[in-house]
Amino acid sequence: MKKLHQFGMLILMIALLVSCNSKNEEKHADHKYQQSIYYSCSMDPQIKEENPGKCPICHMELTPIQKDNGAYNEITLSDQQIKLGNITMQKSSASEQSSQENFTGVLTLNQSNVKSISARATGRIEKLYFKTEGASIKKGQAVYQIYSEDIAIAKQDYISAYKQMEIPGDFGKNAKSMMQAAKQKLSFYGLSNAQIEAIKRGKEVSPYTTFYSNYSGTVAEITATEGSYVMEGAPVLKIGNLSTLWLETQVNVNYAKQLRVGQTALISFVDFPSKEITAKVSFINPEINASSRLLLIQMEVPNTNLALKPGMQAIVKLTKSNTTGIFIPADAVIRDQNGSSIWVEKSKGVFKNIKVTLGTESNGMVELISDLDLEAKIVITGAYAVNSEFEFRKGNDPMAGMKM
């Protein structure tokens, strides 16, 4: 009887032990399940809670989210999510494309056709005959009048030598050479032969001298003012020839790699929508703008009827043909402050975010110039759906952990 009682106690203890282990396993399984999900807000995905409840920001009910334990820049999607997100992929194979890029440019003066009229001697500008930029000027027109003691002294030397030539003997002969030297000095100051000859006929020597234009064109810039004191060589005004203009624009440095001097571009103008002309690239700046990563190029634009004016805006259409590379839809690229990236299918249902460098972009397609596995399947539609799901689950940017 005693043995039977002991055996019963043993059975009871075993039953209690099994029951406790079962409860512990259930608790452990329940804890493991609880740890595999978290609760987040669809409006504020940065909110992560271990227990259900309401969002502390917008007070909406939190949604249970299955944790994704993959790499920091990877996400796993179900077949249903891929279908609902319209997520499709294509292999990153190389292809040839002809691309046309449009750039905005501005017409400027052709600096090779700009002439400068400068002060020929130190003095004071008494009168400016042109006071408005853009005015037409013809060769031979008066530009400015200057009061100059240096020119006045040279005039006096010239007229004195001229009068002394009438004295007989050696004195008169010496006066001839003095007169020739004074004439050369006046020519150096910019006086024409007609102005020099007029000195002989004058009753007195004037300290004022008028200078005339040697060019025809348009007044591009006026740098002096009436009453101002100028030094010899100081610019008074600039004259531009508008028969040709420069069109300046800036292009992406990746696109500029294939440009060349002499390449033809199609130009249209904002002020003349129906007007299109062709121009050739005349200059490619060898220096890249460090902040914008853009490159300045110039084209010489004919302006036979002078309808085009400096400052007008133009659209430059540049074509780059038969470019070989990896081209994908521009919408397949995720762009933010950290750079550009794409999503690729690592394995069935598993997507990985990869940082990329972009090349030319045209007609809705963009070139990838990063090294990629040609067998990699790039997400070409639904890339932003993948990205949004990633941020919703992990609450951060998939590029946040990449080295920039």
Side-chain angles (χ1 to χ4, degrees):
M1 187 69 179
K2 185 178 180 181
K3 289 183 179 181
L4 183 62
H5 179 72
Q6 290 177 343
F7 181 75
M9 291 295 292
L10 180 61
I11 294 297
L12 181 61
M13 290 178 63
I14 291 173
L16 289 172
L17 182 61
V18 170
S19 176
C20 288
N21 286 339
S22 298
K23 288 182 179 181
N24 287 335
E25 286 179 2
E26 288 177 4
K27 288 181 180 180
H28 179 71
D30 183 60
H31 178 71
K32 184 176 180 181
Y33 172 75
Q34 292 294 333
Q35 291 297 315
S36 66
I37 64 172
Y38 66 92
Y39 296 86
S40 182
C41 178
S42 57
M43 298 297 294
D44 302 287
Q46 71 272 20
I47 300 300
K48 290 184 178 182
E49 300 289 346
E50 293 184 359
N51 300 312
K54 292 187 176 181
C55 174
I57 299 176
C58 65
H59 306 293
M60 290 180 61
E61 289 291 337
L62 297 178
T63 305
I65 304 296
Q66 190 74 28
K67 284 188 177 180
D68 193 327
N69 296 319
Y72 71 90
N73 62 339
E74 293 182 7
I75 186 173
T76 302
L77 301 178
S78 65
D79 292 340
Q80 185 180 11
Q81 287 175 313
I82 292 173
K83 184 177 180 180
L84 291 175
N86 191 29
I87 299 167
T88 60
M89 290 78 68
Q90 75 173 20
K91 287 187 177 181
S92 57
S93 57
S95 61
E96 284 190 357
Q97 279 204 3
S98 294
S99 60
Q100 186 182 77
E101 285 281 336
N102 293 344
F103 301 96
T104 301
V106 177
L107 290 173
T108 65
L109 282 172
N110 185 341
Q111 293 298 322
S112 60
N113 291 336
V114 174
K115 307 295 183 182
S116 180
I117 296 179
S118 304
R120 301 303 296 266
T122 299
R124 183 179 66 248
I125 300 293
E126 289 296 317
K127 186 174 183 180
L128 278 175
Y129 293 91
F130 291 89
K131 300 178 181 179
T132 305
E133 294 180 359
S136 296
I137 185 170
K138 294 182 179 180
K139 184 177 180 179
Q141 280 189 285
V143 177
Y144 68 95
Q145 185 186 76
I146 190 171
Y147 170 83
S148 172
E149 292 184 0
D150 292 339
I151 298 178
I153 292 171
K155 287 179 179 180
Q156 187 62 57
D157 291 342
Y158 179 77
I159 192 66
S160 297
Y162 174 71
K163 291 179 179 180
Q164 290 175 8
M165 285 180 61
E166 298 177 357
I167 301 175
D170 292 339
F171 199 82
K173 292 180 181 179
N174 292 335
K176 185 176 181 180
S177 61
M178 291 171 59
M179 179 181 169
Q180 187 63 31
K183 184 177 181 179
Q184 288 180 352
K185 195 168 187 178
L186 290 170
S187 296
F188 172 78
Y189 282 134
L191 275 71
S192 66
N193 287 330
Q195 287 176 296
I196 295 172
E197 289 299 316
I199 296 173
K200 298 178 184 178
R201 300 187 296 270
K203 293 181 180 181
E204 59 182 19
V205 176
S206 173
Y208 301 101
T209 305
T210 300
F211 287 90
Y212 303 86
S213 176
N214 293 323
Y215 319 102
S216 295
T218 301
V219 177
E221 183 180 357
I222 302 173
T223 54
T225 57
E226 288 184 352
S228 62
Y229 191 83
V230 294
M231 299 297 293
E232 180 182 352
V236 176
L237 59 79
K238 293 181 179 180
I239 299 175
N241 186 340
L242 302 184
S243 59
T244 61
L245 297 173
W246 278 349
L247 176 58
E248 295 184 344
T249 186
Q250 292 183 320
V251 303
N252 185 287
V253 64
N254 294 321
Y255 189 88
K257 291 177 182 178
Q258 309 253 346
L259 292 179
R260 67 186 187 280
V261 173
Q263 181 174 341
T264 301
L266 187 64
I267 314 295
S268 58
F269 302 93
V270 176
D271 297 292
F272 303 102
S274 60
K275 183 180 180 66
E276 283 190 339
I277 62 174
T278 57
K280 291 185 177 181
V281 176
S282 57
F283 174 74
I284 301 175
N285 195 337
E287 184 177 355
I288 301 169
N289 187 306
S291 58
S292 64
R293 299 294 296 166
L294 296 177
L295 197 65
L296 174 72
I297 65 171
Q298 289 176 344
M299 281 147 281
E300 193 167 293
V301 178
N303 189 24
T304 52
N305 57 0
L306 303 184
L308 303 177
K309 307 296 181 184
M312 283 184 175
Q313 286 190 331
I315 306 298
V316 183
K317 296 180 181 179
L318 289 167
T319 301
K320 187 168 67 171
S321 59
N322 299 327
T323 302
T324 302
I326 299 174
F327 293 89
I328 62 172
D331 292 341
V333 181
I334 307 297
R335 312 179 204 224
D336 59 21
Q337 67 274 12
N338 293 320
S340 301
S341 66
I342 59 172
W343 286 96
V344 298
E345 188 181 39
K346 183 178 178 182
S347 59
K348 183 173 175 55
V350 179
F351 298 90
K352 181 178 181 180
N353 188 265
I354 299 176
K355 184 177 182 293
V356 293
T357 303
L358 305 180
T360 61
E361 185 172 345
S362 178
N363 302 323
M365 303 294 287
V366 63
E367 180 186 9
L368 300 181
I369 58 177
S370 303
D371 291 331
L372 289 176
D373 182 1
L374 293 180
E375 296 299 317
K377 291 184 178 180
I378 301 173
V379 176
I380 59 170
T381 63
Y384 277 90
V386 179
N387 210 67
S388 298
E389 182 66 19
F390 180 94
E391 292 182 356
F392 180 72
R393 287 191 197 178
K394 300 196 175 184
N396 64 339
D397 184 348
M399 295 182 67
M402 299 185 188
K403 293 182 179 180
M404 296 292 111

